[in-house]
Coordinates of all heavy atoms in Angstrom, one line a residue:
Chain R
K693 N 5.9 -38.3 31.6 CA 6.5 -37.0 32.2 C 7.4 -36.3 31.3 O 7.6 -35.0 31.5 CB 7.2 -37.4 33.5 CG 6.4 -38.2 34.4 CD 5.8 -37.3 35.4 CE 5.0 -38.2 36.4 NZ 4.1 -37.4 37.3
D694 N 8.0 -37.0 30.4 CA 8.8 -36.3 29.4 C 8.2 -35.6 28.3 O 8.7 -34.9 27.5 CB 9.9 -37.3 28.9 CG 10.8 -37.9 30.0 OD1 11.0 -37.2 31.0 OD2 11.2 -39.0 29.9
V695 N 6.9 -35.8 28.3 CA 6.1 -35.2 27.2 C 5.6 -33.8 27.7 O 4.9 -33.7 28.7 CB 4.9 -36.0 26.9 CG1 4.1 -35.3 25.8 CG2 5.4 -37.4 26.3
S696 N 6.1 -32.8 27.0 CA 5.6 -31.5 27.4 C 5.3 -30.6 26.2 O 5.7 -30.9 25.1 CB 6.7 -30.8 28.3 OG 7.9 -30.6 27.5
V697 N 4.7 -29.6 26.5 CA 4.3 -28.6 25.5 C 4.8 -27.2 26.0 O 4.2 -26.7 27.0 CB 2.9 -28.6 25.1 CG1 2.6 -27.5 24.1 CG2 2.5 -29.9 24.5
T698 N 5.7 -26.6 25.3 CA 6.0 -25.3 25.7 C 5.9 -24.3 24.5 O 5.6 -24.9 23.4 CB 7.4 -25.2 26.1 OG1 8.3 -25.4 25.1 CG2 7.8 -26.3 27.2
R699 N 6.1 -23.2 24.7 CA 6.0 -22.2 23.5 C 7.1 -22.5 22.5 O 7.1 -21.9 21.4 CB 6.1 -20.8 24.1 CG 4.9 -20.5 24.9 CD 4.9 -19.0 25.4 NE 3.9 -18.8 26.4 CZ 2.7 -18.5 26.0 NH1 2.3 -18.3 24.8 NH2 1.8 -18.3 27.0
E700 N 8.1 -23.3 23.0 CA 9.2 -23.6 22.0 C 8.9 -24.8 21.2 O 9.6 -25.2 20.3 CB 10.5 -23.6 22.7 CG 11.1 -22.2 23.1 CD 10.4 -21.6 24.3 OE1 10.0 -22.4 25.2 OE2 10.0 -20.5 24.3
S701 N 7.9 -25.5 21.7 CA 7.7 -26.9 21.1 C 7.3 -26.7 19.6 O 6.6 -25.7 19.2 CB 6.5 -27.6 21.8 OG 6.8 -27.7 23.2
E702 N 7.7 -27.7 18.9 CA 7.3 -27.7 17.5 C 5.7 -27.8 17.4 O 5.1 -27.2 16.5 CB 7.8 -28.9 16.8 CG 9.3 -28.7 16.4 CD 9.6 -27.6 15.5 OE1 8.7 -27.3 14.7 OE2 10.7 -27.1 15.4
L703 N 5.2 -28.5 18.3 CA 3.8 -28.7 18.3 C 3.1 -27.3 18.5 O 2.2 -27.0 17.8 CB 3.3 -29.6 19.5 CG 1.8 -29.7 19.8 CD1 1.0 -30.2 18.5 CD2 1.6 -30.7 20.8
F704 N 3.6 -26.6 19.4 CA 3.0 -25.3 19.7 C 3.2 -24.4 18.4 O 2.3 -23.7 18.0 CB 3.7 -24.6 20.8 CG 3.2 -23.2 21.0 CD1 2.0 -23.0 21.7 CD2 3.9 -22.2 20.5 CE1 1.6 -21.7 21.9 CE2 3.5 -20.8 20.7 CZ 2.3 -20.6 21.5
R705 N 4.3 -24.6 17.8 CA 4.6 -23.7 16.6 C 3.6 -24.1 15.5 O 3.2 -23.3 14.8 CB 6.0 -23.9 16.3 CG 7.0 -23.2 17.2 CD 8.4 -23.5 16.9 NE 8.8 -22.9 15.6 CZ 9.1 -21.6 15.5 NH1 9.1 -20.9 16.5 NH2 9.4 -21.2 14.3
A706 N 3.4 -25.3 15.4 CA 2.5 -25.8 14.3 C 1.1 -25.2 14.5 O 0.5 -24.7 13.5 CB 2.4 -27.4 14.3
L707 N 0.7 -25.3 15.7 CA -0.7 -24.7 16.0 C -0.7 -23.2 15.9 O -1.5 -22.6 15.1 CB -1.1 -25.1 17.4 CG -1.4 -26.5 17.7 CD1 -1.5 -26.8 19.1 CD2 -2.7 -26.8 17.0
N708 N 0.3 -22.7 16.3 CA 0.4 -21.2 16.3 C 0.5 -20.7 14.8 O -0.1 -19.7 14.5 CB 1.6 -20.7 17.1 CG 1.5 -19.3 17.4 OD1 0.5 -18.8 18.0 ND2 2.5 -18.4 17.0
M709 N 1.1 -21.5 14.1 CA 1.3 -21.2 12.7 C 0.0 -21.0 12.0 O -0.2 -20.2 11.1 CB 2.2 -22.3 12.0 CG 2.8 -21.8 10.7 SD 4.1 -20.7 10.9 CE 5.3 -21.9 11.5
H710 N -0.9 -21.9 12.4 CA -2.2 -21.9 11.7 C -3.2 -20.9 12.3 O -4.0 -20.4 11.5 CB -2.8 -23.3 11.7 CG -2.2 -24.2 10.8 ND1 -2.8 -24.6 9.6 CD2 -1.1 -24.9 10.8 CE1 -2.1 -25.4 8.9 NE2 -1.0 -25.6 9.6

Side-chain angles (χ1 to χ4, degrees):
Chain R
K693 304 267 181 192
D694 296 331
V695 177
S696 68
V697 176
T698 71
R699 292 179 191 276
E700 284 74 42
S701 305
E702 286 295 337
L703 172 55
F704 176 82
R705 293 173 63 78
L707 289 166
N708 200 53
M709 198 75 77
H710 281 259

